[in-house]
Amino acid sequence: MPVPVVSVAQMRQWEQASWSAGRTEAAVIARVGACLAAWLRRHVPHNDRILILAGKGHNGDDARAALPHLQGRAVDLVEVRDPETALPDLERALARGPDWILDGLFGIGLNRPLAEPWCRLIERINQARSRIVSVDVPSGLDADTGRPWGATLRATCTLTLAAPKQGLLHPAAHTFTGRLEVIPDIGLVPCPIQSELCWTLPEDFLDWPPPRPVAAHKGTFGHLAIVAGSTGYHGAAVLAARAAQRARPGLITLITPASVYAVVASQLQAVMVHPWSAAHPLPGRYTALLFGPGLAAADLPAEIPATLARLWQEANVPIVVDASALDHVPRGPIPRDALRVLTPHPGEAARLLGTTTNEVQSNRVAAVRALSGQFGGAWIVLKGYQTLIGRQHGPIFVNPSGNPDLAQGGSGDVLAGYLAGLCAQPPLQGDPERLIRYAVWQHGAAADALSRRHPAWVVEDLVRTLGRVAPHRVASTARPATPTTPP
Ligand SMILES: NC(=O)C1=CN([C@@H]2O[C@H](COP(=O)(O)OP(=O)(O)OC[C@H]3O[C@@H](n4cnc5c(N)ncnc54)[C@H](O)[C@@H]3O)[C@@H](O)[C@H]2O)[C@@H](O)CC1
Ligand SMILES: Nc1ncnc2c1ncn2[C@@H]1O[C@H](COP(=O)(O)OP(=O)(O)O)[C@@H](O)[C@H]1O
Ligand SMILES: [K+]
């Protein structure tokens, strides 16, 4: 189940519901400590030194509770109840050159501006050049607004507890949170909060896609048609087709302008490739269509946009539209019950909405709602850091996977191809929400897997890795080795 993005007041309400139901703070803190230690054991090389900073509230209790689970590691603990009296201890610990700092100074209890000594302490820690892992919230950040209360630790990673706090998703917070990860199960009762924004977890895909029936054949898994590529952009068609193959629909046909047919066809084997013909625009019966990657050249056959516009309004199969083809999608109603997905990056979204990229980025949820509203309630995948997935109404899902190594030309073509390859499969079409969320999550998770192994990867590597990340392998990397069962 995805978790809601919550305010501090909602988080407090969730905690209260848990205490009322008989869960205890002590048990939750013990479990958080075990989870934090599990994360550190998994991510911190064995000989690296860790400094735990424990503040005066429960955030400090959480960080301190990791200590018993880190035996065999080089760990120092500094208690920071008062910034001035703690400074000598902190300096001594920093002199030992910690590679990592576990930040338990302040969490969601920070509720007023920090006084000067606290700001100095925080800036001193920021200068230490250790990698900072913040517990729940980077210390100094307002968890509701995402803005610093004077000074804030700059984390490499923030392990937020139970659910993401809304301020952590604010653009102003990004430089402080670093990579945002959620430790979903800290022993609270099931979440009583409903929120417009939900955070996707790898756990959401433990049973998805469903196993293939043993007697299945290629007809079981549908036939995807891709209309893509043009002079100067033939690679987009190739990348989209190869990524679609990774989703493993039964058949894939790629239709590409005659000007690039030979170069595109020569790079694909299992994919059937046809030159675009106005007389026979889509030769065959398809279970999904992808229009987009690389349909950008000035000499693009004029019938391609017209065909897209007609099928968007009439076809009863899923249609995914990406990149320059987005400009040819008609506004207004779409067929009832037919899946329609648009995958703009923020620049494309701004163009479609007649606004600026900054405007889109300053309120991405509103951009998703507005775009979907203009295009008949279609699903919108608003790409970028923490890609959003949603429609005019209903929940909007934040994707947690992916990293800046994805910021290279062609990675969007790969996403479009992979997503369309899943859309084409009748056994998967019954749950479009999970299908789209899975495609986006898998795309980002493949990038994360590559970045862990070798940082200089290219989009062709992404295609090879796509589909291979097993959700259970990355599901909450902070699972304690021995689960502590809440009472
Ligand atoms: N309430 C609970 O039982 C749970 C709390 N959890 C953890 O506890 C954290 C919240 O704990 P707390 O409510 O104790 O709050 P914090 O640990 O975030 O900090 C609260 C302390 O900081 C002080 N403070 C606030 N603003 C200050 C300022 N500007 N200058 C100096 N001191 C300031 C408060 O007076 C209080 O002593 C969460 O972020 C999370 O890490 C989790 O373990 C889940 C369960
Ligand atoms: N910093 C980032 N973190 C996570 N994902 C990113 C980041 N930057 C880019 N991406 C992802 O990379 C892809 C880029 O797509 P797009 O901009 O359409 O590229 P192109 O048009 O060159 O193929 C999207 O899926 C986007 O979400
Ligand atoms: K913290």
Side-chain angles (χ1 to χ4, degrees):
M1 283 284 286
V3 288
V5 176
V6 298
S7 65
V8 172
Q10 288 172 326
M11 190 65 221
R12 296 297 192 196
Q13 198 185 323
W14 187 0
E15 288 170 4
Q16 281 312 319
S18 301
W19 315 149
S20 303
R23 309 286 169 100
T24 66
E25 285 192 336
V28 167
I29 288 165
R31 182 168 174 83
V32 170
C35 290
L36 295 172
W39 190 97
L40 292 169
R41 285 186 170 281
R42 183 169 170 144
H43 294 272
V44 174
H46 199 270
N47 291 325
D48 278 12
R49 178 166 287 279
I50 303 169
L51 169 59
I52 298 178
L53 299 179
K56 54 190 167 177
H58 283 320
N59 196 248
D61 294 336
D62 286 344
R64 199 181 297 105
L67 188 60
H69 304 277
L70 290 170
Q71 277 162 19
R73 297 294 190 122
V75 188
D76 295 312
L77 169 70
V78 172
E79 301 278 354
V80 190
R81 292 177 189 284
D82 174 84
E84 282 166 320
T85 52
L87 200 56
D89 283 349
L90 177 70
E91 290 294 356
R92 266 191 296 279
L94 292 178
R96 290 157 72 91
D99 303 283
W100 300 75
I101 291 176
L102 184 65
D103 153 34
L105 292 182
F106 297 107
I108 60 172
L110 188 71
N111 54 13
R112 56 188 186 274
L114 287 162
E116 186 52 33
W118 276 114
C119 294
R120 273 204 304 277
L121 183 101
I122 284 174
E123 293 306 350
R124 173 67 189 94
I125 298 165
N126 276 334
Q127 284 160 12
R129 300 192 177 279
S130 314
R131 269 166 287 188
I132 297 174
V133 178
S134 285
V135 180
D136 206 18
V137 180
S139 294
L141 200 76
D142 183 317
D144 272 339
T145 66
R147 299 193 185 279
W149 274 120
T152 298
L153 286 180
R154 288 179 192 277
T156 304
C157 181
T158 296
L159 303 176
T160 198
L161 304 173
K165 316 303 173 291
Q166 64 186 30
L168 301 178
L169 273 61
H170 194 281
H174 294 162
T175 53
F176 301 107
T177 59
R179 185 180 179 84
L180 182 59
E181 290 191 25
V182 178
I183 299 181
D185 181 10
I186 61 166
L188 301 177
V189 294
C191 184
I193 312 291
Q194 294 233 325
S195 163
E196 176 186 39
L197 265 190
C198 296
W199 182 267
T200 288
L201 296 169
E203 283 87 339
D204 299 344
F205 311 116
L206 293 179
D207 59 352
W208 211 92
R212 295 189 156 201
V214 284
H217 52 88
K218 63 178 183 283
T220 313
F221 300 110
H223 188 169
L224 171 68
I226 303 174
V227 183
S230 57
T231 308
Y233 306 95
H234 69 273
V238 176
L239 286 170
R242 289 189 181 152
Q245 285 185 274
R246 287 286 166 201
R248 301 183 309 147
L251 292 168
I252 302 171
T253 294
L254 172 60
I255 299 140
T256 196
S259 59
V260 293
Y261 166 74
V263 66
V264 168
S266 67
Q267 296 188 63
L268 297 165
Q269 288 89 42
V271 175
M272 296 168 279
V273 189
H274 295 282
W276 170 266
S277 149
H280 304 286
L282 288 170
R285 291 174 63 81
Y286 302 105
T287 55
L289 305 165
L290 165 61
F291 278 85
L295 291 176
D299 62 354
L300 191 73
E303 302 83 7
I304 292 182
T307 304
L308 161 57
R310 180 175 57 78
L311 291 170
W312 176 268
Q313 289 176 320
E314 294 174 3
N316 62 1
V317 297
I319 301 181
V320 178
V321 184
D322 182 46
S324 25
L326 290 164
D327 295 331
H328 308 303
V329 180
R331 285 170 171 72
I334 54 178
R336 249 174 83 94
D337 303 329
L339 179 60
R340 297 287 184 266
V341 191
L342 304 178
T343 57
H345 60 54
E348 290 159 346
R351 203 165 67 232
L352 292 174
L353 290 169
T355 180
T356 62
T357 307
N358 281 348
E359 195 65 32
V360 167
Q361 293 294 71
S362 69
N363 194 342
R364 294 190 309 141
V365 170
V368 168
R369 298 284 192 214
L371 275 174
S372 180
Q374 288 192 13
F375 292 96
W379 284 92
I380 306 297
V381 175
L382 181 56
K383 295 183 292 191
Y385 176 57
Q386 294 172 349
T387 291
L388 295 185
I389 298 160
R391 287 187 287 181
Q392 185 181 13
H393 305 292
I396 291 188
F397 298 94
V398 187
N399 180 63
S401 63
N403 67 71
D405 291 341
L406 270 173
Q408 41 180 319
S411 61
D413 307 331
V414 170
L415 174 64
Y418 186 67
L419 169 62
L422 293 172
C423 286
Q425 300 180 43
L428 308 183
Q429 288 172 343
D431 192 350
E433 173 200 296
R434 198 126 70 121
L435 185 159
I436 300 168
R437 288 203 292 128
Y438 176 80
V440 174
W441 175 80
Q442 175 67 229
H443 178 257
D448 292 341
L450 283 166
S451 298
R452 274 195 298 273
R453 285 204 295 273
H454 54 100
W457 59 267
V458 295
V459 170
E460 287 77 0
D461 300 320
L462 180 66
V463 174
R464 279 189 285 275
T465 307
L466 201 55
R468 293 184 173 173
V469 184
H472 74 270
R473 290 204 169 275
V474 284
S476 186
T477 59
R479 258 176 313 188
T482 45
T484 38
T485 315

